[in-house]
Amino acid sequence: EELLRLLPYWHYRIDKPFKAFMKDKMSLETYYCLETVKRCGAITMTNLARELKVPKQQVTKLIDKLSEYQFVERVSNERDRRSVRIQLTPKASAYLDEYYLKNRVFIQMLEEQLTEEELQRLNEAARVLNEILPKLK
């Protein structure tokens, strides 16, 4: 019941304002994909799908789109022709740096609306959700 009451607040107070603030054509899913590749370095499609917690077919579509924008490149494995790793391009790194600055401004706007104690409680709640939600199947 609490989770169902939470969802509209999340959507209207966090998700929707964040998307509007960013005014970008990139979806949050695509952004998260780029950030994951950045964090993991060169990564296989299978491992990327595992990290993103989505089917490999969905990752293939994301990577195809990002490749069109020259944000990622596929790098062949010399030892195994079937194995391909995905890595960021310099264009993607520059884009993510700019995106991070915009993201930081949005976070600061949220921080201005909450007390330090509320921010700590929100962070703890997010940590708990991050710990529990992956257990759902």
Side-chain angles (χ1 to χ4, degrees):
E1 197 172 306
E2 285 296 320
L3 188 56
L4 290 176
R5 286 201 302 249
L6 166 73
L7 293 177
Y9 285 112
W10 182 263
H11 177 70
Y12 290 109
R13 305 260 168 90
I14 303 291
D15 188 44
K16 197 172 178 179
F18 179 75
K19 288 177 183 176
F21 182 79
M22 299 310 282
K23 295 179 188 155
D24 202 288
K25 293 179 181 160
M26 183 176 291
S27 69
L28 289 177
E29 294 79 12
T30 307
Y31 171 72
Y32 183 63
C33 180
L34 281 177
E35 282 290 345
T36 302
V37 174
K38 179 180 177 181
R39 178 176 46 84
C40 294
I43 187 170
T44 65
M45 294 289 278
T46 300
N47 288 340
L48 182 56
R50 188 176 301 124
E51 287 288 323
L52 296 174
K53 296 161 186 59
V54 298
K56 192 173 173 184
Q57 305 90 298
Q58 189 173 341
V59 172
T60 300
K61 290 178 185 177
L62 275 172
I63 294 303
D64 286 346
K65 191 60 133 175
L66 289 169
S67 185
E68 283 178 32
Y69 289 108
Q70 301 171 340
F71 279 178
V72 297
E73 57 188 2
R74 291 173 169 93
V75 179
S76 299
N77 184 340
E78 294 175 9
R79 289 178 254 154
D80 181 359
R81 292 183 304 153
R82 296 171 295 154
S83 177
V84 175
R85 293 189 174 275
I86 306 302
Q87 67 182 29
L88 294 184
T89 63
K91 181 178 178 181
S93 295
Y95 178 86
L96 286 174
D97 289 345
E98 180 184 330
Y99 211 89
Y100 175 80
L101 293 175
K102 289 180 184 177
N103 187 6
R104 189 68 212 133
V105 170
F106 178 77
I107 297 298
Q108 287 172 338
M109 286 174 37
L110 290 178
E111 290 173 343
E112 290 170 1
Q113 298 176 50
L114 301 172
T115 67
E116 185 63 36
E117 181 184 343
E118 290 168 330
L119 286 169
Q120 289 175 356
R121 290 178 62 207
L122 180 61
N123 195 41
E124 177 62 17
R127 189 195 63 70
V128 169
L129 284 172
N130 221 354
E131 178 184 310
I132 294 172
L133 290 179
K135 296 177 181 179
L136 298 176
K137 296 188 187 217

